[in-house]
Amino acid sequence: MDQDEKSAILVVDDDTFVLESTSRLLTAFGYLVFPYGNATDAVRKLRENNVRVVLTDIMMPEVTGLQFLEKIRSFNSEIPVIMMTAYAEMDMTIDAIRKGAFDFILKPFKPESLAHSVKKAFDHSRLKELEKNYTITLEHTVKNRTRELSDALALVKSASNEIVERLAGVAEFRDTETGKHIKRIGLYSQRISVALNMEAKFAEEITFASILHDIGKVGVSDTILLKPGPLTPEEFDLMKTHTVIGEKMLAGSSYPGMAMAATIALNHHERWDGRGYPRGLKGEGIPIEGRIVMLVDQYDALRSKRPYKPAFDHDATCKIITAGDGRTSPDHFDPKVLDAFIRIAPEFDGIFEELIG
């Protein structure tokens, strides 16, 4: 809408004299006037959406002012419509108000009365437009701020996760050939969680939390971690302490993912049959996240080369986990977690091959 159209008013009256005199008067007041002798032609102009105020007679043939008002409100609920009439009947006035009339002018009217009523209508129209523009601007601003906040939070989360991965890698690089081990553990844990129909939030948290399962190894001597042969009972007791050390390092955080990481660090060597460590928990007394990571960590350890063992292929690893080999037994694992692993074992092989080395 250009500057002229911002002062545009549509005048409708079947009386040619009234139409012309009113139009000249409004033009003298500085308005852009569109005069029409009937409502039908006036509606077409209104649909162009370039008129700010309507001034219409009520008593007109074919289409009355009230019928014209109804048509206007069918496609424009906000434009101010001023009704002109020589007969101020109460029923007609009430009906017009119900249909959305903005104001009334009695014929014959004084120029100052017309000017006051029209100015009031234009002021109302401008305020409605300002309100509409403000709402659009506000919605646009809120949308942009929300997107910016979301992007910032995503960046912080990404940075935080990277920091945690690098922190976990400090421990992993000491006794594994590559830090990709922790990435595999996260993906294995996520797949098992989905196979167990765990909530999406749990699956997301364990993907992050499981990578810190061995963070406590930073407190264990290299002579034990890197020993090529079997550990003595005393050395094995020292190795076990990495679970407690890890839990102490991670405990006390208000971040849910970190709280789960502390639980995993402490419990990922507990066994279903109660013969694990550090507390000898049994069955469902072991937190589910610990039971999941216990199995996936065992899978990855069997697949990976260590100073004290060669790497096994996928089929050999699955056989050891499901049938046992004298050192590992199916009784070590939660039956439900083991069943989920058996169902999706090919996915484990795919993850390992993709992140090998």
PDB file of all heavy atoms in Angstrom, residues 77-105:
ATOM      1  N   SER A  77     -12.340  -8.528   8.324  1.00  0.00           N
ATOM      2  CA  SER A  77     -12.965  -8.352   9.638  1.00  0.00           C
ATOM      3  C   SER A  77     -12.493  -7.103  10.368  1.00  0.00           C
ATOM      4  O   SER A  77     -13.020  -6.777  11.432  1.00  0.00           O
ATOM      5  CB  SER A  77     -12.664  -9.579  10.511  1.00  0.00           C
ATOM      6  OG  SER A  77     -11.261  -9.705  10.724  1.00  0.00           O
ATOM      7  N   GLU A  78     -11.513  -6.378   9.802  1.00  0.00           N
ATOM      8  CA  GLU A  78     -10.892  -5.285  10.547  1.00  0.00           C
ATOM      9  C   GLU A  78     -11.153  -3.892   9.990  1.00  0.00           C
ATOM     10  O   GLU A  78     -11.087  -2.914  10.733  1.00  0.00           O
ATOM     11  CB  GLU A  78      -9.382  -5.520  10.625  1.00  0.00           C
ATOM     12  CG  GLU A  78      -9.003  -6.772  11.412  1.00  0.00           C
ATOM     13  CD  GLU A  78      -7.497  -6.932  11.539  1.00  0.00           C
ATOM     14  OE1 GLU A  78      -6.764  -6.136  10.910  1.00  0.00           O
ATOM     15  OE2 GLU A  78      -7.060  -7.829  12.263  1.00  0.00           O
ATOM     16  N   ILE A  79     -11.432  -3.752   8.706  1.00  0.00           N
ATOM     17  CA  ILE A  79     -11.574  -2.417   8.133  1.00  0.00           C
ATOM     18  C   ILE A  79     -12.754  -1.674   8.777  1.00  0.00           C
ATOM     19  O   ILE A  79     -13.856  -2.229   8.916  1.00  0.00           O
ATOM     20  CB  ILE A  79     -11.757  -2.503   6.598  1.00  0.00           C
ATOM     21  CG1 ILE A  79     -11.694  -1.106   5.980  1.00  0.00           C
ATOM     22  CG2 ILE A  79     -13.060  -3.209   6.235  1.00  0.00           C
ATOM     23  CD1 ILE A  79     -11.605  -1.118   4.465  1.00  0.00           C
ATOM     24  N   PRO A  80     -12.550  -0.429   9.217  1.00  0.00           N
ATOM     25  CA  PRO A  80     -13.647   0.331   9.840  1.00  0.00           C
ATOM     26  C   PRO A  80     -14.710   0.714   8.790  1.00  0.00           C
ATOM     27  O   PRO A  80     -14.375   1.220   7.722  1.00  0.00           O
ATOM     28  CB  PRO A  80     -12.953   1.581  10.390  1.00  0.00           C
ATOM     29  CG  PRO A  80     -11.492   1.242  10.452  1.00  0.00           C
ATOM     30  CD  PRO A  80     -11.270   0.292   9.314  1.00  0.00           C
ATOM     31  N   VAL A  81     -15.966   0.459   9.141  1.00  0.00           N
ATOM     32  CA  VAL A  81     -17.083   0.779   8.242  1.00  0.00           C
ATOM     33  C   VAL A  81     -17.998   1.763   8.952  1.00  0.00           C
ATOM     34  O   VAL A  81     -18.580   1.447   9.996  1.00  0.00           O
ATOM     35  CB  VAL A  81     -17.868  -0.475   7.830  1.00  0.00           C
ATOM     36  CG1 VAL A  81     -19.034  -0.088   6.912  1.00  0.00           C
ATOM     37  CG2 VAL A  81     -16.954  -1.478   7.138  1.00  0.00           C
ATOM     38  N   ILE A  82     -18.117   2.972   8.388  1.00  0.00           N
ATOM     39  CA  ILE A  82     -18.975   4.009   8.954  1.00  0.00           C
ATOM     40  C   ILE A  82     -20.296   3.993   8.195  1.00  0.00           C
ATOM     41  O   ILE A  82     -20.320   4.016   6.958  1.00  0.00           O
ATOM     42  CB  ILE A  82     -18.325   5.400   8.830  1.00  0.00           C
ATOM     43  CG1 ILE A  82     -16.954   5.425   9.513  1.00  0.00           C
ATOM     44  CG2 ILE A  82     -19.235   6.475   9.416  1.00  0.00           C
ATOM     45  CD1 ILE A  82     -16.155   6.685   9.238  1.00  0.00           C
ATOM     46  N   MET A  83     -21.400   3.947   8.943  1.00  0.00           N
ATOM     47  CA  MET A  83     -22.726   3.871   8.327  1.00  0.00           C
ATOM     48  C   MET A  83     -23.380   5.264   8.333  1.00  0.00           C
ATOM     49  O   MET A  83     -23.390   5.959   9.345  1.00  0.00           O
ATOM     50  CB  MET A  83     -23.626   2.894   9.091  1.00  0.00           C
ATOM     51  CG  MET A  83     -22.979   1.565   9.444  1.00  0.00           C
ATOM     52  SD  MET A  83     -22.551   0.562   8.007  1.00  0.00           S
ATOM     53  CE  MET A  83     -24.171   0.141   7.371  1.00  0.00           C
ATOM     54  N   MET A  84     -23.940   5.665   7.154  1.00  0.00           N
ATOM     55  CA  MET A  84     -24.680   6.926   7.043  1.00  0.00           C
ATOM     56  C   MET A  84     -26.171   6.625   6.910  1.00  0.00           C
ATOM     57  O   MET A  84     -26.557   5.735   6.146  1.00  0.00           O
ATOM     58  CB  MET A  84     -24.224   7.706   5.797  1.00  0.00           C
ATOM     59  CG  MET A  84     -22.772   8.123   5.810  1.00  0.00           C
ATOM     60  SD  MET A  84     -22.351   9.150   4.378  1.00  0.00           S
ATOM     61  CE  MET A  84     -22.565   7.974   3.028  1.00  0.00           C
ATOM     62  N   THR A  85     -26.990   7.353   7.637  1.00  0.00           N
ATOM     63  CA  THR A  85     -28.429   7.127   7.556  1.00  0.00           C
ATOM     64  C   THR A  85     -29.187   8.392   7.935  1.00  0.00           C
ATOM     65  O   THR A  85     -28.699   9.210   8.724  1.00  0.00           O
ATOM     66  CB  THR A  85     -28.878   5.985   8.482  1.00  0.00           C
ATOM     67  OG1 THR A  85     -30.296   5.795   8.370  1.00  0.00           O
ATOM     68  CG2 THR A  85     -28.524   6.284   9.941  1.00  0.00           C
ATOM     69  N   ALA A  86     -30.362   8.556   7.351  1.00  0.00           N
ATOM     70  CA  ALA A  86     -31.232   9.676   7.708  1.00  0.00           C
ATOM     71  C   ALA A  86     -32.245   9.262   8.755  1.00  0.00           C
ATOM     72  O   ALA A  86     -32.971  10.105   9.290  1.00  0.00           O
ATOM     73  CB  ALA A  86     -31.952  10.197   6.455  1.00  0.00           C
ATOM     74  N   TYR A  87     -32.299   7.955   9.061  1.00  0.00           N
ATOM     75  CA  TYR A  87     -33.280   7.455  10.012  1.00  0.00           C
ATOM     76  C   TYR A  87     -32.564   6.565  11.032  1.00  0.00           C
ATOM     77  O   TYR A  87     -32.192   5.431  10.726  1.00  0.00           O
ATOM     78  CB  TYR A  87     -34.362   6.646   9.290  1.00  0.00           C
ATOM     79  CG  TYR A  87     -34.976   7.379   8.133  1.00  0.00           C
ATOM     80  CD1 TYR A  87     -34.543   7.134   6.832  1.00  0.00           C
ATOM     81  CD2 TYR A  87     -35.979   8.333   8.345  1.00  0.00           C
ATOM     82  CE1 TYR A  87     -35.098   7.817   5.760  1.00  0.00           C
ATOM     83  CE2 TYR A  87     -36.537   9.013   7.277  1.00  0.00           C
ATOM     84  CZ  TYR A  87     -36.095   8.747   5.993  1.00  0.00           C
ATOM     85  OH  TYR A  87     -36.635   9.432   4.932  1.00  0.00           O
ATOM     86  N   ALA A  88     -32.395   7.076  12.206  1.00  0.00           N
ATOM     87  CA  ALA A  88     -31.663   6.351  13.264  1.00  0.00           C
ATOM     88  C   ALA A  88     -32.629   5.467  14.043  1.00  0.00           C
ATOM     89  O   ALA A  88     -33.075   5.804  15.142  1.00  0.00           O
ATOM     90  CB  ALA A  88     -30.974   7.332  14.201  1.00  0.00           C
ATOM     91  N   GLU A  89     -33.000   4.350  13.442  1.00  0.00           N
ATOM     92  CA  GLU A  89     -33.884   3.411  14.122  1.00  0.00           C
ATOM     93  C   GLU A  89     -33.061   2.500  15.032  1.00  0.00           C
ATOM     94  O   GLU A  89     -31.988   2.016  14.653  1.00  0.00           O
ATOM     95  CB  GLU A  89     -34.641   2.573  13.093  1.00  0.00           C
ATOM     96  CG  GLU A  89     -35.594   3.408  12.240  1.00  0.00           C
ATOM     97  CD  GLU A  89     -36.344   2.536  11.256  1.00  0.00           C
ATOM     98  OE1 GLU A  89     -36.111   1.294  11.271  1.00  0.00           O
ATOM     99  OE2 GLU A  89     -37.150   3.068  10.484  1.00  0.00           O
ATOM    100  N   MET A  90     -33.582   2.226  16.239  1.00  0.00           N
ATOM    101  CA  MET A  90     -32.841   1.464  17.237  1.00  0.00           C
ATOM    102  C   MET A  90     -32.534   0.046  16.760  1.00  0.00           C
ATOM    103  O   MET A  90     -31.387  -0.424  16.888  1.00  0.00           O
ATOM    104  CB  MET A  90     -33.648   1.406  18.544  1.00  0.00           C
ATOM    105  CG  MET A  90     -32.924   0.681  19.689  1.00  0.00           C
ATOM    106  SD  MET A  90     -31.356   1.473  20.151  1.00  0.00           S
ATOM    107  CE  MET A  90     -31.977   3.012  20.837  1.00  0.00           C
ATOM    108  N   ASP A  91     -33.500  -0.653  16.208  1.00  0.00           N
ATOM    109  CA  ASP A  91     -33.270  -2.034  15.764  1.00  0.00           C
ATOM    110  C   ASP A  91     -32.201  -2.106  14.680  1.00  0.00           C
ATOM    111  O   ASP A  91     -31.334  -2.996  14.690  1.00  0.00           O
ATOM    112  CB  ASP A  91     -34.576  -2.640  15.233  1.00  0.00           C
ATOM    113  CG  ASP A  91     -35.582  -2.884  16.351  1.00  0.00           C
ATOM    114  OD1 ASP A  91     -35.162  -2.872  17.529  1.00  0.00           O
ATOM    115  OD2 ASP A  91     -36.766  -3.094  16.035  1.00  0.00           O
ATOM    116  N   MET A  92     -32.265  -1.155  13.756  1.00  0.00           N
ATOM    117  CA  MET A  92     -31.291  -1.139  12.672  1.00  0.00           C
ATOM    118  C   MET A  92     -29.890  -0.830  13.210  1.00  0.00           C
ATOM    119  O   MET A  92     -28.890  -1.414  12.773  1.00  0.00           O
ATOM    120  CB  MET A  92     -31.698  -0.088  11.626  1.00  0.00           C
ATOM    121  CG  MET A  92     -30.754  -0.003  10.433  1.00  0.00           C
ATOM    122  SD  MET A  92     -31.291   1.235   9.239  1.00  0.00           S
ATOM    123  CE  MET A  92     -31.185   2.738  10.240  1.00  0.00           C
ATOM    124  N   THR A  93     -29.829   0.075  14.164  1.00  0.00           N
ATOM    125  CA  THR A  93     -28.542   0.443  14.762  1.00  0.00           C
ATOM    126  C   THR A  93     -27.912  -0.753  15.469  1.00  0.00           C
ATOM    127  O   THR A  93     -26.727  -1.047  15.313  1.00  0.00           O
ATOM    128  CB  THR A  93     -28.721   1.600  15.757  1.00  0.00           C
ATOM    129  OG1 THR A  93     -29.291   2.724  15.077  1.00  0.00           O
ATOM    130  CG2 THR A  93     -27.374   1.992  16.362  1.00  0.00           C
ATOM    131  N   ILE A  94     -28.715  -1.457  16.257  1.00  0.00           N
ATOM    132  CA  ILE A  94     -28.218  -2.634  16.991  1.00  0.00           C
ATOM    133  C   ILE A  94     -27.758  -3.711  16.019  1.00  0.00           C
ATOM    134  O   ILE A  94     -26.714  -4.342  16.208  1.00  0.00           O
ATOM    135  CB  ILE A  94     -29.318  -3.179  17.923  1.00  0.00           C
ATOM    136  CG1 ILE A  94     -29.589  -2.171  19.040  1.00  0.00           C
ATOM    137  CG2 ILE A  94     -28.903  -4.533  18.508  1.00  0.00           C
ATOM    138  CD1 ILE A  94     -30.760  -2.553  19.929  1.00  0.00           C
ATOM    139  N   ASP A  95     -28.525  -3.900  14.948  1.00  0.00           N
ATOM    140  CA  ASP A  95     -28.170  -4.911  13.953  1.00  0.00           C
ATOM    141  C   ASP A  95     -26.835  -4.558  13.292  1.00  0.00           C
ATOM    142  O   ASP A  95     -25.984  -5.431  13.056  1.00  0.00           O
ATOM    143  CB  ASP A  95     -29.278  -5.000  12.902  1.00  0.00           C
ATOM    144  CG  ASP A  95     -29.124  -6.222  12.010  1.00  0.00           C
ATOM    145  OD1 ASP A  95     -28.446  -7.192  12.444  1.00  0.00           O
ATOM    146  OD2 ASP A  95     -29.654  -6.216  10.893  1.00  0.00           O
ATOM    147  N   ALA A  96     -26.646  -3.286  12.989  1.00  0.00           N
ATOM    148  CA  ALA A  96     -25.402  -2.852  12.359  1.00  0.00           C
ATOM    149  C   ALA A  96     -24.204  -3.054  13.297  1.00  0.00           C
ATOM    150  O   ALA A  96     -23.125  -3.461  12.868  1.00  0.00           O
ATOM    151  CB  ALA A  96     -25.513  -1.382  11.959  1.00  0.00           C
ATOM    152  N   ILE A  97     -24.412  -2.766  14.583  1.00  0.00           N
ATOM    153  CA  ILE A  97     -23.334  -2.961  15.557  1.00  0.00           C
ATOM    154  C   ILE A  97     -22.964  -4.442  15.645  1.00  0.00           C
ATOM    155  O   ILE A  97     -21.781  -4.802  15.685  1.00  0.00           O
ATOM    156  CB  ILE A  97     -23.764  -2.426  16.938  1.00  0.00           C
ATOM    157  CG1 ILE A  97     -23.874  -0.893  16.897  1.00  0.00           C
ATOM    158  CG2 ILE A  97     -22.770  -2.863  18.015  1.00  0.00           C
ATOM    159  CD1 ILE A  97     -24.438  -0.291  18.158  1.00  0.00           C
ATOM    160  N   ARG A  98     -23.962  -5.289  15.652  1.00  0.00           N
ATOM    161  CA  ARG A  98     -23.705  -6.732  15.695  1.00  0.00           C
ATOM    162  C   ARG A  98     -22.934  -7.205  14.471  1.00  0.00           C
ATOM    163  O   ARG A  98     -22.127  -8.135  14.552  1.00  0.00           O
ATOM    164  CB  ARG A  98     -25.033  -7.481  15.795  1.00  0.00           C
ATOM    165  CG  ARG A  98     -25.698  -7.385  17.174  1.00  0.00           C
ATOM    166  CD  ARG A  98     -27.055  -8.043  17.150  1.00  0.00           C
ATOM    167  NE  ARG A  98     -27.666  -8.043  18.484  1.00  0.00           N
ATOM    168  CZ  ARG A  98     -28.926  -8.398  18.734  1.00  0.00           C
ATOM    169  NH1 ARG A  98     -29.712  -8.775  17.720  1.00  0.00           N
ATOM    170  NH2 ARG A  98     -29.386  -8.377  19.959  1.00  0.00           N
ATOM    171  N   LYS A  99     -23.189  -6.565  13.359  1.00  0.00           N
ATOM    172  CA  LYS A  99     -22.513  -6.968  12.129  1.00  0.00           C
ATOM    173  C   LYS A  99     -21.123  -6.342  11.995  1.00  0.00           C
ATOM    174  O   LYS A  99     -20.400  -6.620  11.042  1.00  0.00           O
ATOM    175  CB  LYS A  99     -23.371  -6.612  10.912  1.00  0.00           C
ATOM    176  CG  LYS A  99     -24.602  -7.487  10.743  1.00  0.00           C
ATOM    177  CD  LYS A  99     -25.406  -7.047   9.542  1.00  0.00           C
ATOM    178  CE  LYS A  99     -26.510  -8.043   9.206  1.00  0.00           C
ATOM    179  NZ  LYS A  99     -27.503  -8.192  10.271  1.00  0.00           N
ATOM    180  N   GLY A 100     -20.754  -5.471  12.947  1.00  0.00           N
ATOM    181  CA  GLY A 100     -19.397  -4.938  12.960  1.00  0.00           C
ATOM    182  C   GLY A 100     -19.245  -3.525  12.472  1.00  0.00           C
ATOM    183  O   GLY A 100     -18.149  -3.122  12.061  1.00  0.00           O
ATOM    184  N   ALA A 101     -20.304  -2.701  12.521  1.00  0.00           N
ATOM    185  CA  ALA A 101     -20.185  -1.294  12.125  1.00  0.00           C
ATOM    186  C   ALA A 101     -19.259  -0.564  13.101  1.00  0.00           C
ATOM    187  O   ALA A 101     -19.294  -0.804  14.302  1.00  0.00           O
ATOM    188  CB  ALA A 101     -21.555  -0.631  12.094  1.00  0.00           C
ATOM    189  N   PHE A 102     -18.453   0.354  12.564  1.00  0.00           N
ATOM    190  CA  PHE A 102     -17.517   1.092  13.405  1.00  0.00           C
ATOM    191  C   PHE A 102     -18.157   2.345  14.002  1.00  0.00           C
ATOM    192  O   PHE A 102     -17.927   2.680  15.162  1.00  0.00           O
ATOM    193  CB  PHE A 102     -16.281   1.479  12.582  1.00  0.00           C
ATOM    194  CG  PHE A 102     -15.285   2.316  13.333  1.00  0.00           C
ATOM    195  CD1 PHE A 102     -14.407   1.723  14.245  1.00  0.00           C
ATOM    196  CD2 PHE A 102     -15.229   3.694  13.149  1.00  0.00           C
ATOM    197  CE1 PHE A 102     -13.485   2.503  14.951  1.00  0.00           C
ATOM    198  CE2 PHE A 102     -14.310   4.467  13.856  1.00  0.00           C
ATOM    199  CZ  PHE A 102     -13.439   3.868  14.758  1.00  0.00           C
ATOM    200  N   ASP A 103     -18.978   3.074  13.178  1.00  0.00           N
ATOM    201  CA  ASP A 103     -19.565   4.337  13.644  1.00  0.00           C
ATOM    202  C   ASP A 103     -20.802   4.655  12.810  1.00  0.00           C
ATOM    203  O   ASP A 103     -21.048   4.020  11.775  1.00  0.00           O
ATOM    204  CB  ASP A 103     -18.531   5.471  13.532  1.00  0.00           C
ATOM    205  CG  ASP A 103     -18.859   6.663  14.427  1.00  0.00           C
ATOM    206  OD1 ASP A 103     -19.890   6.602  15.137  1.00  0.00           O
ATOM    207  OD2 ASP A 103     -18.075   7.633  14.419  1.00  0.00           O
ATOM    208  N   PHE A 104     -21.573   5.670  13.266  1.00  0.00           N
ATOM    209  CA  PHE A 104     -22.773   6.115  12.545  1.00  0.00           C
ATOM    210  C   PHE A 104     -22.726   7.620  12.363  1.00  0.00           C
ATOM    211  O   PHE A 104     -22.246   8.360  13.241  1.00  0.00           O
ATOM    212  CB  PHE A 104     -24.040   5.759  13.338  1.00  0.00           C
ATOM    213  CG  PHE A 104     -24.312   4.289  13.408  1.00  0.00           C
ATOM    214  CD1 PHE A 104     -23.742   3.522  14.415  1.00  0.00           C
ATOM    215  CD2 PHE A 104     -25.135   3.675  12.473  1.00  0.00           C
ATOM    216  CE1 PHE A 104     -23.985   2.166  14.480  1.00  0.00           C
ATOM    217  CE2 PHE A 104     -25.379   2.324  12.535  1.00  0.00           C
ATOM    218  CZ  PHE A 104     -24.806   1.557  13.536  1.00  0.00           C
ATOM    219  N   ILE A 105     -23.240   8.070  11.202  1.00  0.00           N
ATOM    220  CA  ILE A 105     -23.383   9.504  10.939  1.00  0.00           C
ATOM    221  C   ILE A 105     -24.813   9.738  10.447  1.00  0.00           C
ATOM    222  O   ILE A 105     -25.283   9.056   9.535  1.00  0.00           O
ATOM    223  CB  ILE A 105     -22.397   9.991   9.866  1.00  0.00           C
ATOM    224  CG1 ILE A 105     -20.953   9.806  10.323  1.00  0.00           C
ATOM    225  CG2 ILE A 105     -22.642  11.467   9.554  1.00  0.00           C
ATOM    226  CD1 ILE A 105     -19.933  10.269   9.295  1.00  0.00           C
TER     227      ILE A 105
END
